[in-house]
Every structure is written in structure tokens, then in C-alpha cells.
Amino acid sequence: MKEIIKVAYGPSSENYDAKFSFKGEDYRLKRLGVDANVDLALHLLKNFRHECDAFAVAGFPPILKIGRETIIHPVYKQLREAAGTTPVADGTLLRKTSFLWALKSLLKREPLLLSQKKIGFFCGIFQADFLHFFEEHTSDLVFADLYFSLGIPKLMHSSRQLTKAMGRLTPALMKVSVGKKFTKDYDALIFRTPLMREFHRCDVYIIHKTQLDYVKLWPLEGKTVIVDSLDRFTKEKLVAAGAGRIISCFPEFPAHPEIGCAALEALFLAHQPDKVLDEETLLQEVRSLEAHPTIIETETKSKTAQFAFVIHPLTQKQLFLVPGMKNFSNLPIARGIEKMMGKVPGFYYCKMNGIKSEFNGQEVEGELYVLPATPKQLLRQDPESIYRRIHQLCLLAHSRGTNIIGLGAYTKIVGDAGVTIANRSPIPVTTGNSLSAAATLWAASYGLERMDLVKKGADGRYQGTAMVIGATGSIGKVCVRHLCHQWEKVILVAPRPYKVLDLVDEMKGHCPNTEIIGSTHPDKYTPDCDLIITSTSAQGEKVMDIAKVKPGAVICDVSRPFDLGLDDVSTRPDVLVIASGEVELPGQVKIGKTLNLEGGAVYACLAETALLAMEGRFENFSLSRELDYDKVIEIDQLARKHGIRLSAIMGHTGEITDQEIALCREHALKVRLT
């Protein structure tokens, strides 16, 4: 039987003597706590150095790397010398080898765990080898090393600043007494002052298990704490502080929770024939355990899921419905006010509640935020300016407990369609375009069924022609792919010829039996089209001549503002024009202020955000101008599952009743006979 002696700086009350099998060999692991008595630790090492296979030392100052310099505390040298020729492990090599591996493994499961979060380090110099990894995920790092090591009430905000400061203070660090137990009070009054209060505002904290022995915690409700390893005492301390989540990057040994980093490294060391351990060997040993990070959810989750959504006025008229703007609507300087408001920061608008899943009863609440800019202003400004203002809304929503945020109308069109915003946001982001695409197809199907003027062939496809204007956009492209499977002939229209041709070639690969034509102008083909879907960012400018549209055609206008004006639509009572994209959420939905929609209808992009919260899918879902067709299918299934459905068919002036659709059909048949 091999024997490991663990000499720990901590209390002797936590001592144990355990026997177990490890990697096919029998081991005895004995812990001897010295109650911060360095002389006792040296005595134990000298006495047992010929009676064990390896030592594990825990809680003493480890070897530190500050910049290019390696710092070894005098006490550490004494411990090494006292052990003689017996191998000594302190867990440093294991942490260096496995900590990043464990974190990367964790991020595969939770990719947004660190993204744009404020991350606090109790003593970041101990994680010097990993700081570059954290800086890849966020620029918001907060280091309390000066307070932890020397009691100096000052925070630092970059690894460079940390290295520079700690390098200057190396002589002082070498003189810090190790033979006296101390506790750093992180709940002290100093942390309520401007000097230190930022540390309490972090989302995620990084700390070593041994550092926790020196720390008095403050209430950690809602915070995530990542530790290198976790034992019963560490867990109890974090739970007592109310930490929302505890993540251990160390393999869990349920039968022997006493095994920590130093002890496991000592076990690996004793297992090697030559008693030598390097990083590569150690990483292979860790992987052989098939271990994964341990996540402990200590926080009771709210029954009500939270989401946020960003809206903005679609017209100058809507702009003056924004609180405080009504009195300016009739002034001759309205256009100047529109331009000025286009640069005003966003703000909280109102709350939505009463949303409840028909599938499992999950309740959802939403908060709406307004960016007071019209489409014209959003598209004229530098995207970076819009990114910054939306990012501030993401931060605000996050601080209010929101789990995901959606982008409405032109806020998801600006720049790279949500990608940059998602990369900067502390919470997941979606444009809602997947459900918008699905709702468009719902509306198209409903309109075609009610008009009943297009027949299906033996293969189930419509024997007619469908057109998508804005075919290369995110929603348009998904509609194209769906229609190419459902129709005999599909026309793709977009302003850039090369994009149209590329899309035509792509769709012919998917649907070789469908006639697919590309064009930059719709009017040549509108007289033959039975279904037209418009999804553009034309800002209300005319995209086609409705006078040329086939009698009895169904038009789904997804664009906001509409591509077709009310005056144009009114000239064609024989054409069914649907203002698609609006849906109804399940439950008794209440919205604090108007969305300028009829009844209980909401935008499909808003509904997608609520739906993801309802499903517990807090992730970046719909982003960029390339929508994933599989995600559209998935969101369609989720919507049906939870009870989200197409609202009453809406037109430019309100609800379109079945009687009105019947009258439209009647007009169309008469025109076709003349």
C-alpha cells in the first residue's frame, strides 16, 4: 500500500485518514492540519519523509510567476528542504494543466458563461497562467490582489496592470508572515466605497479553494463562483454565502471528497515509476479519469422566466408617441427633432406579463426597451454608434435580472445583424428572425387556403408561381427555401444581381424539379404570381407596382415599415394583402404600453424571444443575415408546442375577417372573367 501524507496549513479539526484504490493500486491518504503553524509543518515533513511515497502540501504560498520572474516564498523553500528526497506536490502543476482544459470543456456546454461578464479575482496572480483565456471572453476583469495580499484598498482592471503592480511589491510579498492565520474581510465597509464597490458588482468570481480559507465572504446571491476544487468545507462556505452557482474545475470523487488538487497531484506523482511528473503526463492522467467540471446550482430559480426586447418607432408619427414627445408632433421642427432623437440613448419602456405556456404552464415576463430612432436614422448612422446604445440596453437588462434579449425591427438590420451586439452582450441575443420567417409562412398558407384559387398537384405542390422580394435577406432566404419545395415555380428578387444568381444556383441544388428564376425587378413577373412575400429594408419606398399584380394573389408584407402603402393597397380590392409577422402569445398577456398593434398581437421577433425564455433556451438563437433553416423548423415546432399561433390576419387598417377575404375572392373571380 502506498502512502500519501498531506500537510495542510489549515485547521487540524479537518484531519482524516482514508484508504482507497486509485488506478489499480491501494493508497492511504492522511491529512495533518497544522493550524497555521509553519514550524509544526516543517517538523511533520522531516518526521515522515522516510515513511511515505509522496507529500501533498496545501495552503502554503505556492510558486508564483509574475511577468517573466518566478517568485518562491522562503517558507516554500523550507518545506521543500524539509521533505528531503521525498516527492512533494502542491497542486500548482495540476491546476496549470487541467484548469484551462476544464474551463474549455465547460464552455462547450455553456458558451456564454464568461462572455462579456464582469469577472472578479480575489487574487488573480495565482491564475497568471490563465488570464489570457479570460481576456479572450471579456475585457471587464477586476483584480483585488492588493487587498488580499497586503490589505491595500485598490482594484486593478487588466493582467498588465496586475503584473506591473505585483512585480513592484514582490519584496513586500516575500515578507508577509505565513506563521499567522489571517482573514481578509470582503464584507468590510471599504467595499461600499467607490474604491472597492465594483468588486461586489462582478457576475463571476474566480478563487482557489485554499484562498477561501483566508476570506470572509459577503452575500453572493445570483453570483457564479468558479473554484479549482471543492470539498465539503468549501462548499458549505459558499452555500452559506448564498452563491447562485458553484463550479468546480476539479474531478469529483464522491466516495472520497477529501481529495483536493494537492492530494490528487501527489497520487499521480506516487503512481509514476520514476516519481517524476510533467504537464503532458499529468494531462493524460486527468483525461484518463474521464472527469468533467462539477456544477452545483444552489439558487432556487424563479418560476417566471425573464426576457427583454428592444423596439423603436417605425415612423416619425410613432416617434411622437414616445413618452414626453407628444407636444412636439405639430411643430415645424419635427424633422430636426427626429434627427436629434436618433442619437438619444435607449431606455426602459414598459413591462409585459401574463405570458404562460400551454404546454407546461411556464410563466414568462418581458421588459421592453425603446431606442428612440426611426428606421431612417438607424440606417444613416455609423453602426458602431447603434451597437453602443444597444449594448447599454443589454447591460441594463442584465442588471435587472433578464436572461435573454431580442432585437426588434431595424435594430436587427443595422451592421452585421446582431452578431457584434451578441459578442458584447452579457446575456444571449436573438433577432427573432427565425419565428418571423415561420410566421410569414403561416400567414401565406392561411391566405392561400382562404382564397382557394391555387390548386395542388399530385405531388402536393402548388401549381402556380410564388415570388419573394428581398430574397437574399435572412427572412427572405428561408421563405425561398420553403417555397421551392412547395411550388412549381419560384421567382427570387433582390437588388444585387450576383447575390440573386448565387441563391438561384443554391436553390436549384436543393430543388432540381422546381423552376427557379432570379431577377432584380419584380414587375416583369408579378402578373403571373399567386403568392408574393416582401421582406425588405426599403423604409416604405415602393418595391413593386401593385397595379400589375395578378387578381386573387396573396401578398405577405413582412417589412416594417410596410413595402406597400395603404393608398396602393386600397386600389386593389381583388388582392389579399396581409401584414404578416404578427402572432399571439399564450396566456392572458398584458402590455404596459402600446405596440401599435391590434388586440393581443405582438411581433413574431418579440414572440421568439419570449418563446426561448419559455423553453429555457437562453442562447444566441437567430443572428446574422444567414438564417439557419433547421432553426426555423425548430422554432416553428416550439411555437406550436407552447401555444404561440398566428394572430387574426391583419391588414394595413386592422383585422381582416373571413367575410372580407371572401369578398376579396369574389372581386378576384370577377376581374379574372373580364
Side-chain angles (χ1 to χ4, degrees), residues 453-608:
L453 294 174
V454 188
K455 303 302 179 185
K456 289 186 177 181
D459 58 359
R461 295 193 302 167
Y462 285 107
Q463 296 176 310
T465 302
M467 174 190 285
V468 179
I469 302 175
T472 56
S474 58
I475 294 175
K477 187 177 288 188
V478 169
C479 291
V480 165
R481 182 168 175 179
H482 180 80
L483 295 177
C484 284
H485 287 285
Q486 301 292 326
W487 289 74
E488 291 183 343
K489 183 176 179 179
V490 180
I491 313 296
L492 316 185
V493 180
R496 294 180 175 83
Y498 70 94
K499 287 192 174 184
V500 176
L501 292 175
D502 286 345
L503 184 57
V504 168
D505 290 340
E506 181 185 342
M507 289 302 110
K508 284 182 176 179
H510 287 296
C511 307
N513 297 323
T514 301
E515 183 182 357
I516 304 172
I517 299 173
S519 177
T520 56
H521 300 286
D523 290 343
K524 178 181 177 181
Y525 300 97
T526 51
D528 300 318
C529 291
D530 302 284
L531 171 67
I532 300 173
I533 294 175
T534 74
S535 177
T536 77
S537 53
Q539 302 181 60
E541 294 183 8
K542 198 170 186 177
V543 298
M544 69 174 177
D545 186 354
I546 197 171
K548 296 182 179 181
V549 173
K550 181 179 182 178
V554 174
I555 301 177
C556 293
D557 192 346
V558 187
S559 308
R560 298 295 182 273
F562 294 119
D563 281 333
L564 297 172
L566 177 58
D567 291 342
D568 285 337
V569 172
S570 300
T571 66
R572 293 299 304 270
D574 58 322
V575 174
L576 180 61
V577 181
I578 300 172
S580 64
E582 279 73 58
V583 299
E584 289 183 357
L585 290 166
Q588 301 297 316
V589 181
K590 296 180 181 178
I591 305 176
K593 295 177 182 176
T594 180
L595 291 179
N596 299 297
L597 296 174
E598 295 288 332
V602 299
Y603 298 113
C605 46
L606 185 157
E608 178 179 306

Side-chain angles (χ1 to χ4, degrees), residues 361-383:
Q362 173 65 59
E363 296 179 1
V364 177
E365 286 185 355
E367 290 191 343
L368 303 186
Y369 295 84
V370 170
L371 198 65
T374 60
K376 183 187 298 183
Q377 295 304 317
L378 287 173
L379 294 180
R380 284 181 176 178
Q381 293 181 42
D382 177 15

Side-chain angles (χ1 to χ4, degrees), residues 232-308:
R232 176 170 60 87
F233 304 101
T234 306
K235 180 180 176 181
E236 287 176 355
K237 186 169 186 175
L238 290 171
V239 170
R245 302 181 85 201
I246 304 169
I247 298 174
S248 171
C249 292
F250 188 75
E252 186 177 21
F253 299 92
H256 302 286
E258 64 273 3
I259 298 178
C261 276
L264 182 60
E265 187 178 307
L267 286 168
F268 284 136
L269 188 59
H271 183 68
Q272 304 304 311
D274 55 0
K275 300 294 189 293
V276 175
L277 201 59
D278 57 29
E279 289 186 30
E280 184 176 346
T281 303
L282 190 53
L283 185 57
Q284 291 174 354
E285 294 282 13
V286 171
R287 285 178 171 169
S288 71
L289 297 176
E290 297 184 354
H292 300 283
T294 304
I295 302 176
I296 300 172
E297 302 280 0
T298 63
E299 194 173 50
T300 302
K301 293 188 176 181
S302 170
K303 185 180 178 183
T304 304
Q306 306 285 335
F307 75 93

Side-chain angles (χ1 to χ4, degrees), residues 322-341:
V322 171
M325 295 297 298
K326 185 176 181 181
N327 294 333
F328 297 97
S329 60
N330 296 319
L331 295 179
I333 58 171
R335 184 173 295 179
I337 293 174
E338 177 186 357
K339 186 176 181 179
M340 179 191 70
M341 291 298 290

Side-chain angles (χ1 to χ4, degrees), residues 342-419:
K343 298 180 180 180
V344 171
F347 53 87
Y348 171 80
Y349 184 55
C350 69
K351 185 176 283 291
M352 289 182 67
N353 51 37
I355 308 167
K356 187 174 182 179
S357 168
E358 292 179 0
F359 173 71
N360 59 10
Q362 173 65 59
E363 296 179 1
V364 177
E365 286 185 355
E367 290 191 343
L368 303 186
Y369 295 84
V370 170
L371 198 65
T374 60
K376 183 187 298 183
Q377 295 304 317
L378 287 173
L379 294 180
R380 284 181 176 178
Q381 293 181 42
D382 177 15
E384 183 59 38
S385 170
I386 309 300
Y387 294 159
R388 286 196 296 268
R389 278 181 281 163
I390 296 177
H391 178 60
Q392 291 302 312
L393 293 179
C394 293
L395 293 175
L396 177 58
H398 174 54
S399 70
R400 293 168 65 98
T402 296
N403 306 113
I404 188 170
I405 190 167
L407 306 178
Y410 280 67
T411 63
K412 61 187 174 187
I413 293 175
V414 170
D416 54 16
V419 175

